[in-house]
């Protein structure tokens, strides 16, 4: 008993130290973004703001609002599209084990291991040729395509848990490939979509490489704009921290909102309980 | 409703022949049971009738239509799965209505049928629940209900009771039988449980290693098994198999069992004539033997001497394991019988109930003309 308590205390201690280390930079970002530019100095960076205000956040928003729009316009469709394609792929690969399904899955998975840098130049040429260079729709396509391997993996593993005989029951009840997908698979996919959406939204929102390579102002997503702020004449630390704070909010919201729907056990009762 | 015909149906998985040249005629309104040990190909056969499994060879007809190439939805069948396979996201009502909706049945007709089925199955109070909020027995009923509302030509059921506890299983067995009579439906029912087969089937198909062994009424399967496999697979305890040596005296066949002569009944003669070797196997069920004093053996019974080895009291009856030469013979006696281990006893075998097998082929030596029982 005693040994167990000591053990637990130790674990908590380690966890608390780790989270403090992790949260320290966040703390600096937070306090700095609430300070005025004059109040920012290396000497006082750990202090709480003497006169907290939203001026730097307002300034950051003024510079970033359009890029925010771009990022939403990019991340939402790309997340939905890549998740939808992943669901369809996962369904086909896990539930209709056609000849060569495993080989095909392997090939799709290889997509996970392609370093983005290695495809940048061909990608640029392709986008240019099809007239989508320097446009958000172009970025949507790129992120959708590069999202397919991971979303396919997520949904294939997720669907492996849906018993085959539920699908067979639907076949006997009178529906086929798409009917089963529409009436049985999709309604059971909520948790799969939550996982896929959280992952994809975060990846796409935070992506810098594709964004900086394929778009120019004013079509750039917010990640690129953020770096541009840092690169301007004199560095306004408070505005920069405020921007970073703003940019991180959407992914945070996605986690908080969608995490709530991260329900398990929807399948309980499909098979013998 | 319609009959089903399987003609030379074969299914191979790689090198495994799961179902081997099965020919079956399932009559309209029949409750046909596919019985056999695990892995004998029952499920595969059923799934081929359903259209969930492709045929390697042969044809399947429902009514007059060759459905071999049709997808399940065009076969007008309904299936009850071993694990129920309910739609977890739908309510009980929606589970039952789903198939009808897909077939574009009018809403009020769907409602009528679902409520009717729910009434028959005692599901009326649960229509708004999801499967996970139901007990095993209730889920099983929903699976049945989903099949009933479809009013299909044929019901296919794959061990639908195997996930229920013993008491519920007995109860549902009776209800299924009643349901069959009420619906006048053609049912193909798969089980490895001989009690289910014997109690519900109008006919039983015994399978082993993908091959049909015998198709017969429960009584025929029980009393006149076509081979030693069927003889021992059906019945608890199984039919006694007693090795004997065949001789003939004055034109009659006599079996030597552990040095004792047993004059075999006339009806075995035609079959025994085909025997070339001396070795044979006698088969007799435990309830067709009585333990008696030598002087009490009535007419129509064949006595052999043995020794009591184990007595297993079961309350309403007792199983008495006797040793006859090298054979162990089980005798079913009622609970009034009094005897001791190591008693010398006479086993009086009902001669009409005797079966005979060729020990090499394990086939029955009874011919088609053999009467069921006097
Ligand atoms: N999809 C499959 N792939 C390979 N072998 C299978 C498949 N389905 C069944 N089998 C084999 O076919 C044989 C019969 O199986 P099955 O019809 O399920 O038997 P039962 O229902 O009588 O227990 C078994 O040996 C089983 O291993
Ligand atoms: Mg089976």
């Amino acid at each position: 008993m005693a040994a167990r308590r000591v053990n637990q205390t130790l674990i908590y201690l380690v966890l608390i130290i780790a989270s403090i280390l992790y949260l320290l930079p966040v703390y600096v970002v937070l306090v700095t973004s609430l300070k005025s530019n004059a109040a920012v100095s290396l000497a006082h960076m750990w202090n709480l703001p003497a006169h907290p205000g939203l001026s730097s956040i307002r300034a950051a928003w003024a510079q970033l609002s359009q890029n925010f729009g771009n990022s939403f316009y990019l991340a939402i469709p790309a997340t939905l599209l890549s998740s939808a394609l992943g669901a369809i792929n996962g369904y086909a690969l896990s539930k209709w084990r056609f000849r060569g399904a495993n080989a095909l899955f392997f090939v799709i998975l290889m997509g996970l291991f392609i370093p983005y840098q290695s495809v940048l130049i061909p990608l640029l040429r392709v986008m240019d040729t099809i007239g989508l260079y320097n446009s958000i729709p172009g970025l949507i396509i790129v992120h959708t395509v590069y999202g397919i391997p991971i979303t396919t993996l997520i949904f294939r593993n997720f669907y492996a848990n849906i018993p085959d005989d539920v699908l067979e029951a639907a076949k006997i009840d009178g529906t086929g490939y798409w009917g089963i997908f529409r009436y049985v698979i999709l309604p059971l996919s909520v948790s799969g979509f939550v996982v896929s959406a959280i992952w994809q939204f975060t990846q796409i929102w935070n992506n810098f490489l594709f964004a900086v390579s394929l778009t120019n102002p004013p079509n750039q997503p917010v990640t690129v704009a953020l770096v541009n702020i840092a690169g301007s004449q004199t560095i306004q630390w408070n505005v920069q921290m405020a921007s970073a704070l703003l940019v991180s909010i959407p992914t945070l919201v996605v986690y908080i909102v969608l995490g709530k729907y991260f329900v398990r056990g929807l399948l309980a009762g499909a098979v013998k309980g | 409703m319609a009959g089903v015909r399987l003609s030379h149906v074969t299914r191979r998985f790689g090198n495994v022949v799961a179902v081997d040249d099965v020919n079956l005629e399932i009559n309209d309104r029949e409750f046909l049971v596919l019985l056999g040990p695990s892995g004998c190909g029952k499920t595969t056969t059923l799934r081929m009738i359903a259209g969930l499994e492709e045929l390697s060879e042969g044809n399947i007809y429902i009514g007059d239509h060759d459905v071999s190439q049709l997808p399940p939805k065009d076969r007008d069948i309904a299936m009850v799965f071993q694990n129920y396979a309910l739609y977890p996201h739908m309510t009980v009502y929606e589970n039952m209505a789903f198939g009808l909706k897909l077939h574009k049945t009018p809403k009020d007709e769907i409602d009528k049928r679902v409520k009717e089925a729910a009434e028959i199955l005692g599901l009326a109070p649960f229509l708004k629940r999801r499967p996970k909020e139901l007990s095993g027995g209730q889920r099983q009923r929903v699976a049945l209900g989903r099949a009933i509302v479809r009013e299909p030509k044929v019901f296919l059921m794959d061990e639908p009771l195997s996930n229920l506890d013993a008491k519920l299983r007995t109860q549902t067995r009776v209800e299924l039988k009643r349901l069959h009579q009420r619906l006048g439906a053609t049912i193909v029912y798969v089980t490895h449980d001989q009690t289910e087969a014997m109690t519900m089937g109008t006919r039983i198909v015994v399978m082993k290693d993908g091959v049909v062994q015998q198709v017969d009424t429960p009584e025929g399967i029980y009393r006149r098994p076509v081979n030693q496999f069927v003889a021992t697979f059906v019945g608890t305890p199984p039919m006694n198999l007693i090795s004997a040596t065949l001789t003939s005296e004055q034109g009659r066949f006599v079996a030597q069992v552990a040095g004792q002569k047993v004059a075999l009944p006339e009806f075995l003669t035609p079959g025994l004539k085909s025997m070339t070797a001396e070795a044979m196997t006698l088969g007799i069920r435990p309830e067709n033997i009585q333990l008696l004093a030598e002087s009490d053996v009535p007419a129509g019974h064949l006595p052999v001497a043995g020794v009591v080895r184990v007595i297993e009291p079961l309350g309403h009856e007792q199983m008495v394991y006797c040793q006859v030469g090298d054979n162990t013979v089980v005798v079913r006696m009622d609970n009034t019988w009094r005897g001791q281990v190591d008693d010398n006893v006479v086993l009086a075998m009902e001669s009409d109930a005797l079966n005979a097998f060729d020990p090499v082929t394990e086939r029955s030596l009874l011919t088609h003309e053999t009467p069921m029982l006097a």
Side-chain angles (χ1 to χ4, degrees):
Chain A
M1 256 340 259
R4 214 181 128 192
R5 192 164 317 146
V6 170
N7 238 337
Q8 283 224 332
T9 316
L10 216 68
I11 289 173
Y12 274 104
L13 208 67
V14 170
L15 286 177
I16 287 168
I17 292 173
S19 32
I20 287 174
L21 279 177
Y22 202 83
L23 287 173
L24 270 180
V26 179
Y27 167 79
V28 174
V29 167
L30 201 65
V31 293
T32 310
S33 58
L34 292 175
K35 289 171 184 174
S36 65
N37 198 29
V40 178
S41 74
L42 208 52
H44 300 119
M45 69 182 258
W46 297 105
N47 298 0
L48 283 168
H51 309 284
L54 297 177
S55 63
S56 47
I57 291 183
R58 249 180 249 116
W61 178 250
Q63 291 189 48
L64 290 177
S65 59
Q66 195 191 352
N67 304 95
F68 254 96
N70 289 342
S71 271
F72 279 116
Y73 176 33
L74 161 66
I76 293 173
T79 299
L80 293 179
L81 274 175
S82 57
S83 298
L85 288 173
I88 292 168
N89 286 348
Y91 168 58
L93 290 169
S94 65
K95 293 301 173 195
W96 299 76
R97 284 174 224 101
F98 49 91
R99 195 176 292 262
N102 283 338
L104 184 61
F105 180 55
F106 181 76
V107 171
I108 292 177
L109 274 194
M110 292 307 290
L112 282 177
F113 305 109
I114 297 176
Y116 289 168
Q117 287 81 352
S118 71
V119 296
L120 271 185
I121 291 170
L123 195 59
L124 219 128
R125 294 299 305 266
V126 170
M127 285 295 137
D128 197 29
T129 311
I130 61 176
L132 289 177
Y133 175 75
N134 190 23
S135 74
I136 293 294
L139 268 186
I140 292 176
I141 291 179
V142 170
H143 280 292
T144 301
V145 169
Y146 278 90
I148 286 175
I150 186 69
T151 57
T152 300
L153 176 68
I154 289 171
F155 281 101
R156 182 180 178 270
N157 291 350
F158 181 76
Y159 290 151
N161 293 323
I162 298 180
D164 285 350
D165 55 8
V166 174
L167 274 66
E168 290 180 339
K171 268 187 222 171
I172 287 180
D173 265 343
T175 185
Y177 186 87
W178 289 110
I180 293 173
F181 186 66
R182 155 89 180 69
Y183 295 112
V184 181
I185 295 290
L186 270 188
L188 292 174
S189 300
V190 178
S191 329
F193 272 101
V194 167
V195 174
S196 173
I198 288 178
W199 179 264
Q200 279 303 91
F201 187 86
T202 313
Q203 289 294 308
I204 297 168
W205 183 272
N206 289 338
N207 176 279
F208 179 75
L209 187 66
F210 284 147
V212 77
S213 320
L214 295 177
T215 53
N216 302 317
N219 292 325
Q220 290 172 320
V222 77
T223 38
V224 183
L226 184 63
V227 175
N228 288 348
I229 290 179
S232 51
Q233 329 81 18
T234 50
I235 301 175
Q236 290 185 293
W237 285 107
N238 58 339
V239 175
Q240 219 209 311
M241 298 287 173
S243 314
L245 201 66
L246 282 180
V247 172
S248 64
I249 286 174
T251 47
L252 211 64
V253 170
V254 165
Y255 271 101
I256 292 168
V257 173
L258 285 186
K260 232 173 52 175
Y261 296 98
F262 200 93
V263 277
R264 284 163 199 279
L266 195 64
L267 283 176
V271 261
K272 186 190 148 210
Chain B
M1 300 297 140
V4 180
R5 189 154 64 85
L6 277 66
S7 163
H8 299 288
V9 168
T10 297
R11 171 71 211 203
R12 281 181 283 270
F13 294 105
N15 290 329
V16 180
V17 186
V19 175
D20 193 355
D21 193 29
V22 168
N23 295 285
L24 263 185
E25 190 91 40
I26 303 163
N27 300 323
D28 191 16
R29 293 162 185 262
E30 180 164 29
F31 197 131
L32 187 95
V33 177
L34 296 181
L35 174 68
S38 171
C40 73
K42 310 177 295 286
T43 296
T44 307
T45 307
L46 198 74
R47 287 169 56 83
M48 286 192 287
I49 301 175
L52 294 172
E53 200 80 68
E54 278 175 32
L55 286 78
S56 302
E57 270 165 46
N59 295 83
I60 293 177
Y61 303 84
I62 295 178
D64 301 324
H65 298 285
D66 183 345
V67 298
S68 315
Q69 303 302 324
L70 293 183
K73 66 185 172 81
D74 298 331
R75 296 194 181 195
D76 200 5
I77 42 110
M79 186 151 167
V80 179
F81 292 81
Q82 183 167 7
N83 294 321
Y84 317 142
L86 301 177
Y87 309 118
H89 56 297
M90 298 185 196
T91 62
V92 169
Y93 186 100
E94 289 164 343
N95 260 282
M96 292 202 262
F98 184 59
L100 294 175
K101 262 187 209 150
L102 289 173
H103 285 92
K104 307 234 175 338
T105 314
K107 263 215 164 58
D108 44 343
E109 173 70 14
I110 294 181
D111 198 60
K112 189 177 134 254
R113 288 206 214 169
V114 170
K115 295 213 162 121
E116 230 172 67
E119 205 55 53
I120 296 176
L121 296 166
L123 285 172
F126 310 115
L127 284 174
K128 289 209 169 69
R129 292 208 196 161
R130 301 261 158 114
K132 69 175 169 218
E133 299 159 342
L134 299 176
S135 71
Q138 290 163 343
R139 281 178 210 170
Q140 206 276 339
R141 278 152 204 275
V142 178
L144 266 179
R146 186 168 63 180
I148 291 174
V149 296
R150 293 265 317 281
E151 298 177 3
K153 284 208 181 98
V154 183
F155 287 88
L156 306 173
M157 306 191 183
D158 191 357
E159 315 222 10
L161 307 186
S162 63
N163 285 330
L164 302 180
D165 60 48
K167 195 174 157 208
L168 205 52
R169 200 178 314 159
T170 315
Q171 189 185 327
T172 314
R173 220 164 58 202
V174 178
E175 282 170 18
L176 261 182
K177 196 167 175 170
R178 194 177 305 144
L179 201 64
H180 172 242
Q181 288 157 0
R182 174 169 182 167
L183 299 176
T186 309
I187 298 181
V188 185
Y189 185 103
V190 161
T191 183
H192 66 271
D193 182 319
Q194 46 154 320
T195 316
E196 285 176 22
M198 299 298 285
T199 51
M200 293 191 289
T202 49
R203 281 192 308 158
I204 297 174
V205 179
V206 182
M207 291 182 73
K208 181 197 171 198
D209 298 338
V211 180
V212 170
Q213 308 290 306
Q214 185 167 5
V215 185
D216 209 333
T217 59
E219 194 189 14
I221 297 272
Y222 191 75
R223 298 204 160 147
R224 297 298 180 211
V226 296
N227 58 31
Q228 294 186 15
F229 172 78
V230 178
T232 50
F233 186 74
V234 176
T236 29
M239 181 180 279
N240 291 300
L241 296 178
I242 306 166
S243 29
T245 316
L246 193 61
T247 55
S248 85
E249 281 176 16
Q250 293 141 22
R252 281 201 66 177
F253 284 105
V254 173
Q256 299 261 3
V257 179
Q260 310 174 53
K261 283 184 188 171
V262 178
L264 295 175
E266 284 292 346
F267 71 83
L268 289 177
T269 308
L272 292 171
K273 274 187 180 149
S274 64
M275 291 288 287
T276 48
E278 280 195 333
M280 68 164 303
T281 303
L282 288 174
I284 186 150
R285 297 226 169 253
E287 62 272 24
N288 298 125
I289 310 177
Q290 299 231 40
L291 299 179
L292 298 168
E294 179 106 51
S295 52
D296 293 345
V297 174
H301 285 68
L302 307 166
V304 284
V307 185
V308 176
R309 289 300 181 211
V310 177
I311 301 171
E312 211 178 53
L314 295 172
H316 62 297
E317 62 187 12
Q318 38 194 340
M319 295 299 159
V320 185
Y321 292 79
C322 302
Q323 190 181 342
V324 179
D326 294 336
N327 303 287
T328 300
V329 179
V330 193
V331 181
R332 191 193 298 264
M333 296 298 287
D334 65 28
N335 56 11
T336 57
W337 181 80
R338 292 285 171 270
Q340 302 282 327
V341 170
D342 292 337
D343 279 359
N344 286 308
V345 287
V346 171
L347 294 82
M349 304 184 288
E350 242 174 276
S351 63
D352 283 344
L354 217 52
N355 283 274
F357 302 96
D358 179 337
V360 180
T361 62
E362 301 196 346
R363 288 228 186 88
S364 175
L365 293 168
L366 271 61
T367 50
H368 283 301
E369 299 82 57
T370 311
M372 191 69 111
L373 252 192

